Structures are given as structure tokens and as C-alpha cells.
Amino acid sequence: MKFIETKLKGCFILEPKIIKDERGYFMESFNEKTFSEGVGQKVTFVQDNQSFSTKGVLRGLHYQTGEHAQAKLVRVLHGEVLDVAVDLRPNSPTYGQHESVLLTAENQTQFFIPRGFAHGFLVLSETATFFYKCDNFYNKESEGGLIYNDATVNIVWNFPTEQLIISEKDTILPTLENAKKVW
């Protein structure tokens, strides 16, 4: 597994070693020891989640605050998504900046997002199955969000706005300036 740290300290793109032959492929998607060494910290995942969405679905940008903050290791099992993390750590030199990663079933790339980040994704293929591990349990009272089109964050989704499918909840999320503090 190759670990590539992004411009956002603590966020890593993971490129697995894929062994292919006429039968298909094999890859190790997670190994606790290799992962901890690769990201430079011990992360204990306690929950796995999976979602299925159609083209144009934009989920997020979501986060958990305080003691319920979550780190996530995300990947796509089927399809293609643009995955995005936004740094919400108040003392970070990259506060308010984002990283975008193309995750596909074909490239098997994974994205590690530590605590203190908003996270979301846009489905680019006809359908996509999205899988992620969390290091903390979801807590509704600690939920926060950031509007997907915040001008100060300036995420380039490269998708027609009129074709986006967004939950009502996600269309009324606050801007970075008005978002709940993560810590």
C-alpha cells in the first residue's frame, strides 16, 4: 500500500497493491499495522458504513464535533465518485482549504480523512456503492455540516449544478463562516 499525504496535513490518499490475473484481482484493503505506520498514528475503526447512490447525488459536507469527531477511511466498491475533505481545524495552516480525490472501483484508491474535517462526495457514474470506516460512533447532537457551494472553500465539482441531487438537509447547511466549530 502506498500512502500519499495531501496538502492537508493528516489526509492521505492510499493506493493499494493490486495483484491481477485471468481470475480477477486480489488486494489488501486494510491492515491495521500497515495503516498505522502509513498515516503515522494509531486509528481504531469501530464502525463500517455503506451507501448506494445514483449519478449526480451529492452527499455532505458532514462532520461530527467535539468528543464525537470522526476519522474516516473511504473507498468506492462500485462506480466513481469525487470525494472531498475540507479542513475545519481552527489552528491549522490549511483551515478552510479542501482536497478532492477521484475514487473508483477500478483504481481502488482510498482516502483517509482524520478528525477535524468536513467530508462529502459526488457520484459521477450511473450508480456508486460507497464504503467507509469510522473511528467513532455517529452522534446526532454532534452533527455539523458545510454547504457544498461555499464560495470561500471554492470546491470545483465539475458537474452541472442543475443536475445535482441533494437532500433538503444538505441544501440548507451553513457556510464556513457560520459552521459549528469542530473542537
Side-chain angles (χ1 to χ4, degrees), residues 9-33:
K9 185 170 177 54
C11 280
F12 287 85
I13 297 168
L14 286 68
E15 295 178 348
K17 180 179 178 183
I18 301 171
I19 302 165
K20 294 181 179 182
D21 64 22
E22 65 278 356
R23 299 169 295 164
Y25 73 89
F26 171 84
M27 67 172 237
E28 184 175 81
S29 62
F30 180 76
N31 174 306
E32 183 179 13
K33 183 179 180 209

PDB file of all heavy atoms in Angstrom, residues 9-33:
ATOM      1  N   LYS A   9      -2.511  18.418   6.044  1.00  0.00           N
ATOM      2  CA  LYS A   9      -1.765  17.548   6.956  1.00  0.00           C
ATOM      3  C   LYS A   9      -2.699  16.531   7.613  1.00  0.00           C
ATOM      4  O   LYS A   9      -3.715  16.877   8.174  1.00  0.00           O
ATOM      5  CB  LYS A   9      -1.069  18.381   8.026  1.00  0.00           C
ATOM      6  CG  LYS A   9      -0.182  17.556   8.932  1.00  0.00           C
ATOM      7  CD  LYS A   9       0.683  18.433   9.807  1.00  0.00           C
ATOM      8  CE  LYS A   9       1.516  17.648  10.775  1.00  0.00           C
ATOM      9  NZ  LYS A   9       2.343  16.626  10.214  1.00  0.00           N
ATOM     10  N   GLY A  10      -2.312  15.253   7.491  1.00  0.00           N
ATOM     11  CA  GLY A  10      -3.090  14.178   8.096  1.00  0.00           C
ATOM     12  C   GLY A  10      -4.028  13.482   7.127  1.00  0.00           C
ATOM     13  O   GLY A  10      -4.508  12.391   7.410  1.00  0.00           O
ATOM     14  N   CYS A  11      -4.337  14.104   5.981  1.00  0.00           N
ATOM     15  CA  CYS A  11      -5.175  13.475   4.946  1.00  0.00           C
ATOM     16  C   CYS A  11      -4.260  12.710   3.995  1.00  0.00           C
ATOM     17  O   CYS A  11      -3.293  13.273   3.483  1.00  0.00           O
ATOM     18  CB  CYS A  11      -5.940  14.521   4.143  1.00  0.00           C
ATOM     19  SG  CYS A  11      -7.409  15.147   4.941  1.00  0.00           S
ATOM     20  N   PHE A  12      -4.603  11.452   3.750  1.00  0.00           N
ATOM     21  CA  PHE A  12      -3.774  10.609   2.900  1.00  0.00           C
ATOM     22  C   PHE A  12      -4.594   9.954   1.798  1.00  0.00           C
ATOM     23  O   PHE A  12      -5.724   9.504   2.028  1.00  0.00           O
ATOM     24  CB  PHE A  12      -3.136   9.480   3.720  1.00  0.00           C
ATOM     25  CG  PHE A  12      -2.030   9.930   4.615  1.00  0.00           C
ATOM     26  CD1 PHE A  12      -2.303  10.431   5.881  1.00  0.00           C
ATOM     27  CD2 PHE A  12      -0.707   9.843   4.211  1.00  0.00           C
ATOM     28  CE1 PHE A  12      -1.285  10.845   6.717  1.00  0.00           C
ATOM     29  CE2 PHE A  12       0.317  10.250   5.038  1.00  0.00           C
ATOM     30  CZ  PHE A  12       0.039  10.752   6.302  1.00  0.00           C
ATOM     31  N   ILE A  13      -4.000   9.868   0.623  1.00  0.00           N
ATOM     32  CA  ILE A  13      -4.524   9.051  -0.463  1.00  0.00           C
ATOM     33  C   ILE A  13      -3.794   7.724  -0.365  1.00  0.00           C
ATOM     34  O   ILE A  13      -2.564   7.692  -0.240  1.00  0.00           O
ATOM     35  CB  ILE A  13      -4.276   9.720  -1.829  1.00  0.00           C
ATOM     36  CG1 ILE A  13      -5.038  11.054  -1.898  1.00  0.00           C
ATOM     37  CG2 ILE A  13      -4.662   8.779  -2.964  1.00  0.00           C
ATOM     38  CD1 ILE A  13      -4.646  11.915  -3.072  1.00  0.00           C
ATOM     39  N   LEU A  14      -4.547   6.634  -0.391  1.00  0.00           N
ATOM     40  CA  LEU A  14      -3.959   5.307  -0.291  1.00  0.00           C
ATOM     41  C   LEU A  14      -4.133   4.583  -1.616  1.00  0.00           C
ATOM     42  O   LEU A  14      -5.253   4.461  -2.119  1.00  0.00           O
ATOM     43  CB  LEU A  14      -4.642   4.488   0.811  1.00  0.00           C
ATOM     44  CG  LEU A  14      -4.327   4.843   2.257  1.00  0.00           C
ATOM     45  CD1 LEU A  14      -4.879   6.194   2.643  1.00  0.00           C
ATOM     46  CD2 LEU A  14      -4.869   3.785   3.171  1.00  0.00           C
ATOM     47  N   GLU A  15      -3.022   4.135  -2.169  1.00  0.00           N
ATOM     48  CA  GLU A  15      -3.045   3.367  -3.413  1.00  0.00           C
ATOM     49  C   GLU A  15      -2.643   1.937  -3.093  1.00  0.00           C
ATOM     50  O   GLU A  15      -1.486   1.683  -2.754  1.00  0.00           O
ATOM     51  CB  GLU A  15      -2.114   3.988  -4.448  1.00  0.00           C
ATOM     52  CG  GLU A  15      -2.544   5.367  -4.888  1.00  0.00           C
ATOM     53  CD  GLU A  15      -1.588   6.013  -5.875  1.00  0.00           C
ATOM     54  OE1 GLU A  15      -0.454   5.503  -6.062  1.00  0.00           O
ATOM     55  OE2 GLU A  15      -1.970   7.036  -6.456  1.00  0.00           O
ATOM     56  N   PRO A  16      -3.576   1.006  -3.192  1.00  0.00           N
ATOM     57  CA  PRO A  16      -3.272  -0.376  -2.831  1.00  0.00           C
ATOM     58  C   PRO A  16      -2.447  -1.088  -3.906  1.00  0.00           C
ATOM     59  O   PRO A  16      -2.438  -0.685  -5.071  1.00  0.00           O
ATOM     60  CB  PRO A  16      -4.653  -1.022  -2.721  1.00  0.00           C
ATOM     61  CG  PRO A  16      -5.473  -0.263  -3.698  1.00  0.00           C
ATOM     62  CD  PRO A  16      -4.958   1.154  -3.641  1.00  0.00           C
ATOM     63  N   LYS A  17      -1.771  -2.126  -3.475  1.00  0.00           N
ATOM     64  CA  LYS A  17      -1.086  -3.013  -4.414  1.00  0.00           C
ATOM     65  C   LYS A  17      -2.141  -4.012  -4.882  1.00  0.00           C
ATOM     66  O   LYS A  17      -2.716  -4.740  -4.078  1.00  0.00           O
ATOM     67  CB  LYS A  17       0.067  -3.730  -3.730  1.00  0.00           C
ATOM     68  CG  LYS A  17       0.810  -4.661  -4.641  1.00  0.00           C
ATOM     69  CD  LYS A  17       1.952  -5.334  -3.920  1.00  0.00           C
ATOM     70  CE  LYS A  17       2.650  -6.301  -4.862  1.00  0.00           C
ATOM     71  NZ  LYS A  17       3.718  -7.024  -4.175  1.00  0.00           N
ATOM     72  N   ILE A  18      -2.398  -4.035  -6.186  1.00  0.00           N
ATOM     73  CA  ILE A  18      -3.423  -4.913  -6.748  1.00  0.00           C
ATOM     74  C   ILE A  18      -2.738  -5.994  -7.566  1.00  0.00           C
ATOM     75  O   ILE A  18      -1.934  -5.706  -8.452  1.00  0.00           O
ATOM     76  CB  ILE A  18      -4.412  -4.112  -7.631  1.00  0.00           C
ATOM     77  CG1 ILE A  18      -5.077  -3.014  -6.789  1.00  0.00           C
ATOM     78  CG2 ILE A  18      -5.456  -5.032  -8.241  1.00  0.00           C
ATOM     79  CD1 ILE A  18      -5.910  -2.035  -7.588  1.00  0.00           C
ATOM     80  N   ILE A  19      -3.042  -7.227  -7.242  1.00  0.00           N
ATOM     81  CA  ILE A  19      -2.486  -8.369  -7.962  1.00  0.00           C
ATOM     82  C   ILE A  19      -3.573  -8.890  -8.890  1.00  0.00           C
ATOM     83  O   ILE A  19      -4.628  -9.330  -8.428  1.00  0.00           O
ATOM     84  CB  ILE A  19      -2.027  -9.468  -6.983  1.00  0.00           C
ATOM     85  CG1 ILE A  19      -0.982  -8.884  -6.021  1.00  0.00           C
ATOM     86  CG2 ILE A  19      -1.491 -10.679  -7.740  1.00  0.00           C
ATOM     87  CD1 ILE A  19      -0.714  -9.746  -4.808  1.00  0.00           C
ATOM     88  N   LYS A  20      -3.315  -8.807 -10.210  1.00  0.00           N
ATOM     89  CA  LYS A  20      -4.319  -9.203 -11.201  1.00  0.00           C
ATOM     90  C   LYS A  20      -3.827 -10.409 -11.999  1.00  0.00           C
ATOM     91  O   LYS A  20      -2.644 -10.538 -12.276  1.00  0.00           O
ATOM     92  CB  LYS A  20      -4.594  -8.063 -12.178  1.00  0.00           C
ATOM     93  CG  LYS A  20      -5.238  -6.850 -11.564  1.00  0.00           C
ATOM     94  CD  LYS A  20      -5.499  -5.784 -12.617  1.00  0.00           C
ATOM     95  CE  LYS A  20      -6.163  -4.567 -11.997  1.00  0.00           C
ATOM     96  NZ  LYS A  20      -6.476  -3.539 -12.987  1.00  0.00           N
ATOM     97  N   ASP A  21      -4.770 -11.242 -12.369  1.00  0.00           N
ATOM     98  CA  ASP A  21      -4.509 -12.317 -13.319  1.00  0.00           C
ATOM     99  C   ASP A  21      -5.811 -12.658 -14.022  1.00  0.00           C
ATOM    100  O   ASP A  21      -6.801 -11.926 -13.884  1.00  0.00           O
ATOM    101  CB  ASP A  21      -3.853 -13.541 -12.648  1.00  0.00           C
ATOM    102  CG  ASP A  21      -4.737 -14.226 -11.617  1.00  0.00           C
ATOM    103  OD1 ASP A  21      -5.981 -14.067 -11.659  1.00  0.00           O
ATOM    104  OD2 ASP A  21      -4.193 -14.953 -10.762  1.00  0.00           O
ATOM    105  N   GLU A  22      -5.843 -13.766 -14.750  1.00  0.00           N
ATOM    106  CA  GLU A  22      -7.035 -14.113 -15.532  1.00  0.00           C
ATOM    107  C   GLU A  22      -8.270 -14.364 -14.659  1.00  0.00           C
ATOM    108  O   GLU A  22      -9.394 -14.329 -15.144  1.00  0.00           O
ATOM    109  CB  GLU A  22      -6.765 -15.331 -16.445  1.00  0.00           C
ATOM    110  CG  GLU A  22      -6.478 -16.626 -15.717  1.00  0.00           C
ATOM    111  CD  GLU A  22      -5.031 -16.783 -15.240  1.00  0.00           C
ATOM    112  OE1 GLU A  22      -4.177 -15.917 -15.522  1.00  0.00           O
ATOM    113  OE2 GLU A  22      -4.768 -17.773 -14.543  1.00  0.00           O
ATOM    114  N   ARG A  23      -8.094 -14.613 -13.376  1.00  0.00           N
ATOM    115  CA  ARG A  23      -9.221 -14.862 -12.475  1.00  0.00           C
ATOM    116  C   ARG A  23      -9.852 -13.584 -11.958  1.00  0.00           C
ATOM    117  O   ARG A  23     -10.969 -13.587 -11.459  1.00  0.00           O
ATOM    118  CB  ARG A  23      -8.762 -15.706 -11.273  1.00  0.00           C
ATOM    119  CG  ARG A  23      -8.218 -17.060 -11.645  1.00  0.00           C
ATOM    120  CD  ARG A  23      -7.549 -17.720 -10.455  1.00  0.00           C
ATOM    121  NE  ARG A  23      -6.376 -16.911 -10.082  1.00  0.00           N
ATOM    122  CZ  ARG A  23      -5.747 -17.012  -8.914  1.00  0.00           C
ATOM    123  NH1 ARG A  23      -6.162 -17.860  -8.001  1.00  0.00           N
ATOM    124  NH2 ARG A  23      -4.686 -16.267  -8.658  1.00  0.00           N
ATOM    125  N   GLY A  24      -9.114 -12.486 -12.041  1.00  0.00           N
ATOM    126  CA  GLY A  24      -9.585 -11.226 -11.482  1.00  0.00           C
ATOM    127  C   GLY A  24      -8.454 -10.532 -10.732  1.00  0.00           C
ATOM    128  O   GLY A  24      -7.347 -10.433 -11.244  1.00  0.00           O
ATOM    129  N   TYR A  25      -8.732 -10.097  -9.520  1.00  0.00           N
ATOM    130  CA  TYR A  25      -7.676  -9.428  -8.756  1.00  0.00           C
ATOM    131  C   TYR A  25      -7.799  -9.755  -7.276  1.00  0.00           C
ATOM    132  O   TYR A  25      -8.828 -10.224  -6.789  1.00  0.00           O
ATOM    133  CB  TYR A  25      -7.711  -7.909  -8.960  1.00  0.00           C
ATOM    134  CG  TYR A  25      -8.852  -7.204  -8.265  1.00  0.00           C
ATOM    135  CD1 TYR A  25      -8.733  -6.747  -6.953  1.00  0.00           C
ATOM    136  CD2 TYR A  25     -10.059  -6.974  -8.917  1.00  0.00           C
ATOM    137  CE1 TYR A  25      -9.775  -6.105  -6.314  1.00  0.00           C
ATOM    138  CE2 TYR A  25     -11.110  -6.327  -8.283  1.00  0.00           C
ATOM    139  CZ  TYR A  25     -10.950  -5.891  -6.980  1.00  0.00           C
ATOM    140  OH  TYR A  25     -11.973  -5.257  -6.349  1.00  0.00           O
ATOM    141  N   PHE A  26      -6.727  -9.443  -6.552  1.00  0.00           N
ATOM    142  CA  PHE A  26      -6.679  -9.544  -5.101  1.00  0.00           C
ATOM    143  C   PHE A  26      -5.961  -8.301  -4.604  1.00  0.00           C
ATOM    144  O   PHE A  26      -4.995  -7.840  -5.212  1.00  0.00           O
ATOM    145  CB  PHE A  26      -5.906 -10.790  -4.639  1.00  0.00           C
ATOM    146  CG  PHE A  26      -5.674 -10.791  -3.149  1.00  0.00           C
ATOM    147  CD1 PHE A  26      -6.655 -11.256  -2.282  1.00  0.00           C
ATOM    148  CD2 PHE A  26      -4.497 -10.285  -2.613  1.00  0.00           C
ATOM    149  CE1 PHE A  26      -6.454 -11.233  -0.911  1.00  0.00           C
ATOM    150  CE2 PHE A  26      -4.296 -10.253  -1.238  1.00  0.00           C
ATOM    151  CZ  PHE A  26      -5.280 -10.737  -0.385  1.00  0.00           C
ATOM    152  N   MET A  27      -6.466  -7.764  -3.492  1.00  0.00           N
ATOM    153  CA  MET A  27      -5.776  -6.649  -2.838  1.00  0.00           C
ATOM    154  C   MET A  27      -6.105  -6.661  -1.353  1.00  0.00           C
ATOM    155  O   MET A  27      -7.149  -7.150  -0.940  1.00  0.00           O
ATOM    156  CB  MET A  27      -6.179  -5.306  -3.435  1.00  0.00           C
ATOM    157  CG  MET A  27      -7.619  -4.919  -3.193  1.00  0.00           C
ATOM    158  SD  MET A  27      -7.970  -3.254  -3.726  1.00  0.00           S
ATOM    159  CE  MET A  27      -8.590  -2.565  -2.203  1.00  0.00           C
ATOM    160  N   GLU A  28      -5.195  -6.153  -0.590  1.00  0.00           N
ATOM    161  CA  GLU A  28      -5.437  -5.971   0.835  1.00  0.00           C
ATOM    162  C   GLU A  28      -5.976  -4.552   0.992  1.00  0.00           C
ATOM    163  O   GLU A  28      -5.280  -3.582   0.689  1.00  0.00           O
ATOM    164  CB  GLU A  28      -4.121  -6.136   1.604  1.00  0.00           C
ATOM    165  CG  GLU A  28      -4.274  -6.059   3.095  1.00  0.00           C
ATOM    166  CD  GLU A  28      -2.967  -6.358   3.802  1.00  0.00           C
ATOM    167  OE1 GLU A  28      -2.137  -5.427   3.892  1.00  0.00           O
ATOM    168  OE2 GLU A  28      -2.773  -7.504   4.232  1.00  0.00           O
ATOM    169  N   SER A  29      -7.224  -4.428   1.434  1.00  0.00           N
ATOM    170  CA  SER A  29      -7.831  -3.096   1.547  1.00  0.00           C
ATOM    171  C   SER A  29      -7.550  -2.436   2.896  1.00  0.00           C
ATOM    172  O   SER A  29      -7.610  -1.207   3.002  1.00  0.00           O
ATOM    173  CB  SER A  29      -9.338  -3.172   1.309  1.00  0.00           C
ATOM    174  OG  SER A  29      -9.958  -3.979   2.283  1.00  0.00           O
ATOM    175  N   PHE A  30      -7.242  -3.230   3.903  1.00  0.00           N
ATOM    176  CA  PHE A  30      -6.917  -2.657   5.207  1.00  0.00           C
ATOM    177  C   PHE A  30      -6.078  -3.630   6.005  1.00  0.00           C
ATOM    178  O   PHE A  30      -6.363  -4.822   6.055  1.00  0.00           O
ATOM    179  CB  PHE A  30      -8.190  -2.316   6.000  1.00  0.00           C
ATOM    180  CG  PHE A  30      -7.893  -1.712   7.346  1.00  0.00           C
ATOM    181  CD1 PHE A  30      -7.486  -0.396   7.452  1.00  0.00           C
ATOM    182  CD2 PHE A  30      -7.983  -2.468   8.497  1.00  0.00           C
ATOM    183  CE1 PHE A  30      -7.191   0.164   8.689  1.00  0.00           C
ATOM    184  CE2 PHE A  30      -7.694  -1.911   9.744  1.00  0.00           C
ATOM    185  CZ  PHE A  30      -7.299  -0.592   9.834  1.00  0.00           C
ATOM    186  N   ASN A  31      -5.034  -3.092   6.621  1.00  0.00           N
ATOM    187  CA  ASN A  31      -4.171  -3.835   7.527  1.00  0.00           C
ATOM    188  C   ASN A  31      -3.820  -2.845   8.637  1.00  0.00           C
ATOM    189  O   ASN A  31      -3.203  -1.805   8.371  1.00  0.00           O
ATOM    190  CB  ASN A  31      -2.922  -4.300   6.780  1.00  0.00           C
ATOM    191  CG  ASN A  31      -1.908  -4.965   7.675  1.00  0.00           C
ATOM    192  OD1 ASN A  31      -1.481  -4.405   8.676  1.00  0.00           O
ATOM    193  ND2 ASN A  31      -1.502  -6.153   7.278  1.00  0.00           N
ATOM    194  N   GLU A  32      -4.231  -3.136   9.852  1.00  0.00           N
ATOM    195  CA  GLU A  32      -4.076  -2.192  10.959  1.00  0.00           C
ATOM    196  C   GLU A  32      -2.635  -1.718  11.135  1.00  0.00           C
ATOM    197  O   GLU A  32      -2.375  -0.525  11.283  1.00  0.00           O
ATOM    198  CB  GLU A  32      -4.583  -2.823  12.258  1.00  0.00           C
ATOM    199  CG  GLU A  32      -4.524  -1.894  13.444  1.00  0.00           C
ATOM    200  CD  GLU A  32      -5.047  -2.520  14.724  1.00  0.00           C
ATOM    201  OE1 GLU A  32      -5.228  -3.753  14.763  1.00  0.00           O
ATOM    202  OE2 GLU A  32      -5.267  -1.770  15.679  1.00  0.00           O
ATOM    203  N   LYS A  33      -1.687  -2.629  11.082  1.00  0.00           N
ATOM    204  CA  LYS A  33      -0.277  -2.274  11.284  1.00  0.00           C
ATOM    205  C   LYS A  33       0.233  -1.384  10.145  1.00  0.00           C
ATOM    206  O   LYS A  33       0.817  -0.329  10.378  1.00  0.00           O
ATOM    207  CB  LYS A  33       0.573  -3.539  11.386  1.00  0.00           C
ATOM    208  CG  LYS A  33       2.016  -3.265  11.653  1.00  0.00           C
ATOM    209  CD  LYS A  33       2.822  -4.546  11.765  1.00  0.00           C
ATOM    210  CE  LYS A  33       4.264  -4.182  12.037  1.00  0.00           C
ATOM    211  NZ  LYS A  33       5.198  -5.124  11.537  1.00  0.00           N
TER     212      LYS A  33
END
